Amino acid sequence: MINTESLRKILELEHQKGYQDSAVIGGLDQLLRNWASQAAASLNQPRLLKRFQSLKLAKSRYASLTKPRRKEWVQSLLDFLFEFEQGQVAKSAAKPPPPISRPPSRPRVSAVSQSLDAAITGIHGISSTLAAKFGKLGVKTIRDLLYFFPRRHLDYSQRKFISQLTEGDEQTIMANVWEAKLVMLGGRRSTEAIVGDETGNIRVVWFNNPYLVKTLTPNTRLVISGRVSLFGGRYVFESPEWELAEDKELIHTGRLIPLYPLTQGLRPRQVRKLMKEVVDQWAWQVADFLPPELSKRCNLLELPQAISQAHYPDDETAIDSARTRLAFDELFLLQLGVLGRKRDWQEGQPGNPLNTQNEVLDNFLNSLPFALTPAQQRVLKEILADLPRTQPMSRLLQGEVGSGKTVVATAALIMAAANSYQGAFMAPTEILAEQHFTNVCHLLSRAGQEEAGEDYWRRYGGLLAQPLTVALLIGDITQAKKLGLQQQIQSGEIDIIIGTHALIQKGVEFKKLGLAVVDEQHRFGVAQRSALRQKGFSPHVLVMTATPIPRTLALTLYGDLDLSVIDQLPPGRQEIKTKWLHPAQREKAYTFIRRQVAGGRQAFIICPLVEESEAIQAKAAVAEYKRLAEEVFPELKLGLLHGRMSASEKDEVMRQFHAGTLHILVSTPVVEVGIDVPNATVMLIESADRFGLSQLHQFRGRVGRGEEQSYCLLLAENPSIVAKERLDSIEKIQDGFALAEEDLKLRGPGEFFGTRQSGLPDLRMAKLSDIALLEMARAEAMKLFQVDPTLAKAEHKPLATELARVWQKGSELS
């Protein structure tokens, strides 16, 4: 069945705009011709076919009609659509239905979706070679092309006379070519032209483009857009965009021009021309999935119009309106998805109620050498309120490095053991798992009496009615011991098991898993939580992160988790002195590191890349490690850590650094969530301008873990204005949550961090710093979720289809 509803909307918009031929970019003619070619195949009634042919849509000449004639013609087409729709309804009903103003749209959605999800090779002009180039940019279907939005737009809309041109600004003129010739510029054959209008002449050059001279014959009328330079005292356009003035619609000049992401083999003009054709032909076929009352309440554009204006906008206001609608869609679908996750998790299987054993808890807390901060007490209370419920806990615990998350988690694990359930404590690396094992054992040894133990397990008496056993399960232990531990876990002899995420993989079976504590949430996504359920348990889950995330953003990215925040550091925690250094101060930084090492301390040096790249001039860890070891610190022992090393190689290097056998660790950002080395007092970050504030704060948190004063040194070669703002902020602000808020203000569109790692849909248009839109999307999602959580109502079927499609794609990217 052909889609009449979208065409009807466009014709109604054309009527509202006074028949200016402006309802769609480029005018109605091309759209009508495309529609006619699809409609002809659906007309099998002779009378309707005759009416259709009389409209001559295949050779539409709407643009050439007078306004009164346009009005008459639009009405004729609307009458035809009404007649066609009536015929379709009559065929499917037992008796003639009453007159309708809009045809039923449900059957049409699937047909449109199917065509939009076809490969882009089905579009005229896109070969398999060209499709492969788009594929590198993640564009594979027609829908992907429609959502392949420009990075930004150049404003070529302000036309001037030649006499009004000024140096430096983006400007547009319309002029005649007086002469064009081949010239040699910089050793390359180029085209030079003299063009003029009624106010004067100007020179135009196109570097390394000798073929253009054949097109620019005398008296050719051009539209030229670009920057004007001053050369030899005269103005000149250097390699501007250009189009023939008689072209029906301007694509490259005289308007807001889209700048698309490119890859090798894709040229700007080629992509713009293709995208214009695709948008004109396909945007109006995209089904709007938002409920109409929601769109009206939030004052949002219709989806086809938003897509069209996002690519080729009428003006800056149109761009803003389009971005708002498209960004709302992303955040709204994100919210619905995470709310659905939470429902699935909590309603899928009943949890295991864990009652608070007050005497056991008090004994543990009283044994600590410090009092819990008010923030720790509040968070522990929130967790203890979750555990007795039959719904499994699903909670995110945020807290700065050193804020005391491990103590809170240990208290919760003890409660699981007190209820005769097992607890699992998972960390992203083996070295971190070892640290957690050491810390938990240290805490338990103060509350109870160690009765027995080996390297990888300990047993404590006096804390519970029965002895409490803690074990560490990592790859470093022998196969025989590993099998022994696995058997003890399966039999229930071990109460608390600490290890990497391998704990929830094949080979490890729990007897009664009641609580899973997960360190660093953004490395532990939905798939791993599902793996827990597939083992036959529905444990309470507490995920922890030291990455500061503003509350609104946390509720968006992790809306399936309840949120707890430890927003206080223990008393006496020292400030890490932070200094942004210029390149000329590099030697001073090296001298400072030598002094710290001579005093028995250690240092980190962070580099952003593993190998040198011409595209990104940043220090590479491999090359930098060699240079530092041979030229700068030949008398010291250096280690190298980067993401391309195997897990065992990484663990070995980190173990050596932790043991103090290495003085300096040269690393890529893999150390961001890393080891606790109290003896490390210096963090030197190369190319610090390449990192976000939250990431810089994470690096800084690797030092200052001991009693000695610690330092963070930031080196930046040539930072941008925004990068300078970041570096100023990290120098002045120590609080991670304040930095995260600042980071959001400075970030553009895209991921704040790790959304792909968690299987969330990617964000293309949404600015996570736009808190108002984020909160509006969340409020609307919650409102809809309350009345129709499964989107089962007929009016929500298009939304359910879009939600499933977007989240399936997000999972594929994770």
Side-chain angles (χ1 to χ4, degrees), residues 160-166 171 173 196-202 235:
K160 291 185 175 181
F161 290 111
I162 289 175
S163 63
Q164 296 173 317
L165 294 175
T166 55
Q171 294 156 101
I173 62 169
D197 62 14
E198 54 265 46
T199 69
N201 299 329
I202 190 170
Y235 288 135

Side-chain angles (χ1 to χ4, degrees), residues 421-423 457 469-471 484-486 488-489 491-497:
Y421 279 90
Q422 292 168 296
W457 70 273
T469 305
V470 185
L485 285 176
Q486 289 175 350
Q488 289 178 296
I489 293 169
S491 66
E493 295 174 60
I494 296 177
D495 301 291
I496 298 174
I497 304 96

Side-chain angles (χ1 to χ4, degrees), residues 42-286:
S42 301
L43 296 167
N44 48 24
Q45 298 177 40
R47 183 177 54 80
L48 275 177
L49 184 59
K50 189 173 181 181
R51 278 287 313 275
F52 174 76
Q53 290 171 342
S54 71
L55 292 167
K56 298 180 179 178
L57 293 176
K59 297 181 179 180
S60 176
R61 293 287 183 269
Y62 181 79
S64 63
L65 300 178
T66 62
K67 281 191 183 179
R69 183 76 183 87
R70 287 180 180 179
K71 180 178 180 181
E72 184 181 326
W73 190 89
V74 166
Q75 190 56 55
S76 297
L77 183 51
L78 284 169
D79 290 343
F80 166 76
L81 294 178
F82 177 78
E83 192 175 338
F84 175 80
E85 292 158 1
Q86 291 283 53
Q88 294 299 311
V89 174
K91 280 199 302 183
S92 62
K95 59 181 181 178
I100 56 172
S101 60
R102 294 177 69 179
S105 59
R106 203 61 61 234
R108 218 169 276 121
V109 174
S110 60
V112 170
S113 298
Q114 187 176 8
S115 61
L116 288 172
D117 292 325
I120 61 174
T121 47
I123 295 174
H124 178 69
I126 298 188
S127 63
S128 57
T129 303
L130 187 57
K133 291 170 183 173
F134 273 108
K136 292 178 181 177
L137 298 169
V139 176
K140 296 178 181 177
T141 67
I142 295 168
R143 189 189 302 274
D144 291 339
L145 265 182
L146 291 174
Y147 279 81
F148 180 60
F149 295 119
R151 290 181 289 108
R152 61 190 180 95
H153 289 80
L154 292 176
D155 189 355
Y156 286 168
S157 62
Q158 304 304 312
R159 184 186 160 194
K160 291 185 175 181
F161 290 111
I162 289 175
S163 63
Q164 296 173 317
L165 294 175
T166 55
E167 183 184 4
D169 296 328
E170 307 283 3
Q171 294 156 101
T172 296
I173 62 169
M174 186 177 288
N176 290 323
V177 176
W178 300 135
E179 68 166 335
K181 61 184 179 180
L182 284 175
V183 293
M184 293 297 291
L185 294 172
R188 297 187 175 186
R189 297 167 72 227
S190 305
T191 295
E192 177 182 276
I194 303 298
V195 303
D197 62 14
E198 54 265 46
T199 69
N201 299 329
I202 190 170
R203 178 172 168 251
V204 189
V205 293
W206 286 273
F207 298 105
N208 198 28
N209 193 342
Y211 308 105
L212 193 53
V213 74
K214 296 177 183 177
T215 304
L216 303 182
T217 55
N219 292 318
T220 301
R221 192 152 178 79
L222 297 181
V223 180
I224 296 172
S225 292
R227 287 186 184 274
V228 175
S229 303
L230 197 60
F231 186 77
R234 296 186 177 184
Y235 288 135
V236 58
F237 274 106
E238 293 186 350
S239 295
E241 294 290 349
W242 65 276
E243 286 177 279
L244 298 175
E246 64 263 24
D247 285 352
K248 184 171 183 301
E249 185 187 9
L250 299 175
I251 298 175
H252 311 289
T253 61
R255 64 182 306 154
L256 287 164
I257 302 298
L259 293 180
Y260 291 97
L262 300 173
T263 189
Q264 189 171 4
L266 290 180
R267 301 183 307 279
R269 288 178 72 90
Q270 167 199 30
V271 173
R272 273 199 294 271
K273 184 174 184 297
L274 175 67
M275 290 303 303
K276 186 67 174 67
E277 293 168 358
V278 169
V279 169
D280 284 349
Q281 181 175 351
W282 292 93
W284 63 277
Q285 297 192 44
V286 178

Side-chain angles (χ1 to χ4, degrees), residues 436-457:
H436 283 312
F437 177 72
T438 302
N439 292 337
V440 169
C441 288
H442 178 69
L443 292 170
L444 293 176
S445 68
R446 301 183 67 93
Q449 188 72 35
E450 184 175 330
E451 295 182 350
E454 293 183 23
D455 288 346
Y456 298 105
W457 70 273

Side-chain angles (χ1 to χ4, degrees), residues 10 62 199 209 217 281 292 322 362-363 367 488 536 544 546 562 605 611 653 704-705 718 797 814:
I10 290 169
Y62 181 79
T199 69
N209 193 342
T217 55
Q281 181 175 351
D362 290 344
N363 286 342
S367 73
Q488 289 178 296
M544 308 193 302
D562 294 313
I605 297 179
E611 294 172 353
V653 171
R705 315 298 289 268
N718 188 23
K797 288 296 183 187
S814 64

Side-chain angles (χ1 to χ4, degrees), residues 342-356:
K342 188 171 187 176
R343 182 199 65 229
D344 293 345
W345 174 256
Q346 294 191 330
E347 295 181 4
Q349 267 180 257
N352 308 302
L354 304 177
N355 296 313
T356 302

Side-chain angles (χ1 to χ4, degrees), residues 10-19 71 74 78:
I10 290 169
L11 294 174
E12 289 171 351
L13 181 61
E14 178 66 9
H15 164 71
Q16 293 168 14
K17 291 193 167 192
Y19 306 100
K71 180 178 180 181
V74 166
L78 284 169

